[in-house]
Amino acid sequence: MLDVLLLDVNETLTDLEPLRDDFEAAGLPRHTLDAWFAAMLRDGLALTTAGAYADFPALARELLEAQLVAAGIEPTEERVTGVLSGFTRVPLHPDVAPGLRKVHAAGVRIVTLTNGRAAMSEGVFTAGGIMPLLEHRLDVSVPRRWKPHPDAYRYAAEVCGVPVERMGLAAVHPWDIDGARRAGLQGFYVDRRNTPYPQAFLPPDLIVPDFEALAVELAR
Amino acid sequence: MLDVLLLDVNETLTDLEPLRDDFEAAGLPRHTLDAWFAAMLRDGLALTTAGAYADFPALARELLEAQLVAAGIEPTEERVTGVLSGFTRVPLHPDVAPGLRKVHAAGVRIVTLTNGRAAMSEGVFTAGGIMPLLEHRLDVSVPRRWKPHPDAYRYAAEVCGVPVERMGLAAVHPWDIDGARRAGLQGFYVDRRNTPYPQAFLPPDLIVPDFEALAVELAR
């Protein structure tokens, strides 16, 4: 029985592909998005592992500046802001709004939890029509531990006033599902690209191709 | 006063650039190296953050297979092994052997500590002429915590029988230096590419362009 569906945000709800245009406009190759995004998680998780904390936007900016310098491009404020502001304009995947409407109609509470900043996605959620469905929009700046540290998921359960086992995390990232499961939550793998799920991680409770399919599974 | 110089291995001692040829031979773009390497650290650190552990070679293999599948290439054993075996053939950076010889001659003990597998680098260290200089070659499979978790550095200090503050870590990765410093070690940033050091991390005790310069600084 599920009381609260906890949602990861970047890549799970939002489609980051348009950011490749912003990298290109700043003079960087389009594939820079992949290394940049993985490096942000690497650095945020490294600090969490060491018992420390940094803001996602601060890491995003520093890594982007380093990548511009490495490519021989001056890291002007215009170039840096051009890429970073892209996060506030990315679209939701097309299955998100119809899927979440069904989950909400079934009486399941819906809450987001991101390693980024909750405020960065407000415009995206409003434009995508899901803002009224979200009971809370949480980020890791309160527990000061990035997901998949158990404190991040426990914080969300505490805010919602539910035991962790009545909460399920939906994400496209296996490491996030693994962490949620280790913290006691259920884990739902949203696998839009049909990507093999790594055996290094605890398996998900459900594997679905998108949020419309997840809504059907949760209504069973 | 420094008793033991602790060395990170991948990228710090070894030059991973030749691996780009192996990615190309497997049918993947040369820039795949960057996203693959950052993703391995992301996944290893995610598991450490969640209180779990996976082997570097296991993660390396699973991520490579996923990248081949995503590119529409069959992840045959030949292709996967072709890339992974490249790790055992990469060269040392040219400053490493002369620099470490000077550090050794100054009476400082030298030990490696990698998130990879110590055995994977034996051939590289032998070919590069530094094997006789290394008192221990350690990896995180004993503490089962990836760097920068403090347990990884404490394990190295314990093996060497020195207090953490008489040990210094040399690395090209700011997150590793930050973690070593938080665990009580000194931190030396080897900055061959003149990359800005991110402010999100604790600053290093020394910044040097390579190991020859580090040897000079440690002899002061």
Side-chain angles (χ1 to χ4, degrees), chain B residues 52-119:
Chain B
Y53 176 76
D55 252 1
F56 185 97
L59 290 183
R61 170 172 287 268
E62 289 208 286
L63 282 164
L64 180 57
E65 287 171 352
Q67 273 168 324
L68 286 164
V69 169
I73 302 166
E74 205 197 328
T76 61
E77 185 57 31
E78 193 191 341
R79 287 195 180 101
V80 171
T81 309
V83 174
L84 297 181
S85 67
F87 264 104
T88 63
R89 290 186 312 254
V90 290
L92 298 179
H93 289 289
D95 57 290
V96 170
L100 292 186
R101 268 184 222 116
K102 282 174 199 148
V103 172
H104 187 259
V108 176
R109 299 159 64 189
I110 306 176
V111 174
T112 56
L113 175 66
T114 179
N115 279 339
R117 271 301 184 99

Side-chain angles (χ1 to χ4, degrees), chain A residues 5 98-104 106 206 208 210-220:
Chain A
L5 178 64
L100 292 187
R101 268 184 222 115
K102 282 175 198 145
V103 171
H104 187 259
L206 286 176
V208 292
D210 57 33
F211 277 96
E212 298 210 61
L214 181 62
V216 171
E217 289 291 333
L218 294 183
R220 273 181 203 274

Side-chain angles (χ1 to χ4, degrees), chain A residues 31 46 49 52 62 148 182 199-200, chain B residues 31 46 49 52 62 148-149 182 199-200:
Chain A
H31 62 73
T49 301
E62 289 207 285
R182 288 182 201 276
Q199 294 186 8
Chain B
H31 62 74
T49 301
E62 289 208 286
H149 193 289
R182 288 183 201 274
Q199 294 186 10

